[in-house]
Amino acid sequence: MPVEIRPLTAADRSAWQGLWTAYLEFYGTAVPQEVQDTTFARLMGRDAQDFHARLALVDGRPVGLVHYLFHRHCWRIENVCYLQDLFADPSVRGQGVGCALIEAVYAEADAAGAPNVYWLTQDFNTNARWLYDRVGRLTSFIKYERAPTS
């Protein structure tokens, strides 16, 4: 199945919205409309520190998305790349969409001189982890975050 990967455009808002909503639903969450609007605006931004996005298309139909960000790192001179969100429509999973999106981010990182691409996933995301084990390396880091304040 040929997969086309291309940059997200303003004209893709509706398709992006559908994929983004499905992604959030997969993780059992939702965000307010203001967050969705702000996220899309950031994806359309021109600042090098803004988020970037790619769409995956099969037969011209958007079936996947990836969001990524370049940022400074205290242990390197070069920026590194954080792959924040990756989603493939369930109807095309296992057919190379996720791999093509990750490889597109790898290519963008290489072009930007970023020597590292990293991402997080949840431990229960077994299908995605099968792919990640093939295209990446599992690290020993454990994520912590601020506890909710009352």
Side-chain angles (χ1 to χ4, degrees):
M1 171 182 74
V3 178
E4 174 192 354
I5 306 295
R6 66 164 175 77
L8 184 71
T9 69
D12 296 319
R13 175 63 194 252
S14 178
W16 173 85
Q17 187 78 48
L19 291 166
W20 175 244
T21 299
Y23 171 76
L24 294 172
E25 287 172 353
F26 173 81
Y27 281 110
T29 193
V31 296
Q33 187 63 46
E34 179 183 19
V35 172
Q36 294 177 41
D37 294 343
T38 301
T39 297
F40 194 78
R42 288 175 177 164
L43 293 169
M44 294 293 101
R46 298 284 183 226
D47 187 307
Q49 299 301 309
D50 277 333
F51 284 89
H52 305 276
R54 297 290 180 267
L55 276 183
L57 296 96
V58 172
D59 295 328
R61 181 176 69 96
V63 295
L65 62 77
V66 66
H67 302 151
Y68 58 99
L69 173 72
F70 294 102
H71 67 87
R72 292 179 177 158
H73 195 285
C74 290
W75 295 3
R76 298 177 179 273
I77 294 170
E78 313 88 357
N79 283 346
V80 297
C81 182
Y82 176 51
L83 189 162
Q84 182 164 357
D85 305 309
L86 177 71
F87 180 76
D89 185 277
S91 68
V92 296
R93 289 195 185 142
Q95 299 178 40
V97 171
C99 186
L101 286 164
I102 291 171
E103 288 175 355
V105 173
Y106 284 175
E108 292 297 319
D110 290 346
N116 188 29
V117 176
Y118 71 99
W119 62 95
L120 305 170
T121 194
Q122 291 186 316
D123 60 353
F124 67 79
N125 197 354
T126 308
N127 289 339
R129 291 185 68 189
W130 178 80
L131 168 63
Y132 301 161
D133 287 342
R134 286 191 1 246
V135 301
R137 177 178 53 89
L138 180 63
T139 72
S140 60
F141 279 90
I142 298 170
K143 178 187 175 192
Y144 284 86
E145 64 185 11
R146 182 180 183 180
T149 59
S150 36

